[in-house]
Amino acid sequence: MSKTTRATQALTRAGIPHTVHAYAYDPEATRIGLQAAEAMGVPPGEVFKTLMAAVDGKPVCVLVPSDREVSLKKLAAAFAGKSAAMMRPAEAERLTGYHVGGISPLGQKRAVPTLVDAAALGFSDIFVNGGQRGLQVRVKPADLVHVLQARTEAVT
């Protein structure tokens, strides 16, 4: 497995300190973020899953702790919209250029408005997908918010 992806390259180009962590990806896992946390031996709240959604039909990216569910009502409100819906896997893959299970908020094919759940700010470091299945990057939440030009708000 390569530890160099568009996601890790984006962090390196931006000068953001990070570490790369490979783990045994289970394609049968029903909740990928929880499986990643378990495989790496870290609390699930520190592993943030990358979700692709549409708010009033426009694509957005949202990162939430792997042990929580996003509130679509709160997500719509965070982007001043009326409704939000999760993207279908094929649409998320086409938009991001990543495969489901390996979708990173970093280095996506097309930049979209991004929100990092405010829970991230309670940790010194968090893990996000590194751009392929079985790869996570550890980064400081403030650095991640900065490089993604993301907003932070509670959406769980």
Side-chain angles (χ1 to χ4, degrees), residues 130-146:
Q132 68 185 30
R133 295 170 180 159
L135 195 70
Q136 294 278 317
V137 291
R138 184 177 183 180
V139 64
K140 296 199 175 309
D143 288 344
L144 182 67
V145 168
H146 172 73

Side-chain angles (χ1 to χ4, degrees), residues 4 21 40 56 75 134 142:
T4 301
H21 302 265
M40 293 188 305
D56 293 344
L75 181 62

Side-chain angles (χ1 to χ4, degrees), residues 39-115:
M40 293 188 305
V42 299
E46 293 179 29
V47 176
F48 278 64
K49 55 188 173 185
T50 305
L51 304 173
M52 300 303 295
V55 173
D56 293 344
K58 296 178 183 156
V60 298
C61 178
V62 59
L63 285 85
V64 297
S66 65
D67 59 350
R68 296 190 192 167
E69 296 298 321
V70 68
S71 162
L72 294 177
K73 186 175 182 175
K74 288 180 182 179
L75 181 62
F79 284 101
K82 293 183 182 184
S83 68
M86 298 309 299
M87 275 189 195
R88 291 189 178 132
E91 187 178 357
E93 289 181 340
R94 181 187 54 75
L95 183 71
T96 64
Y98 292 120
H99 294 292
V100 169
I103 294 178
S104 177
L106 301 151
Q108 293 186 359
K109 242 173 37 175
R110 179 175 160 216
V112 298
T114 302
L115 185 142

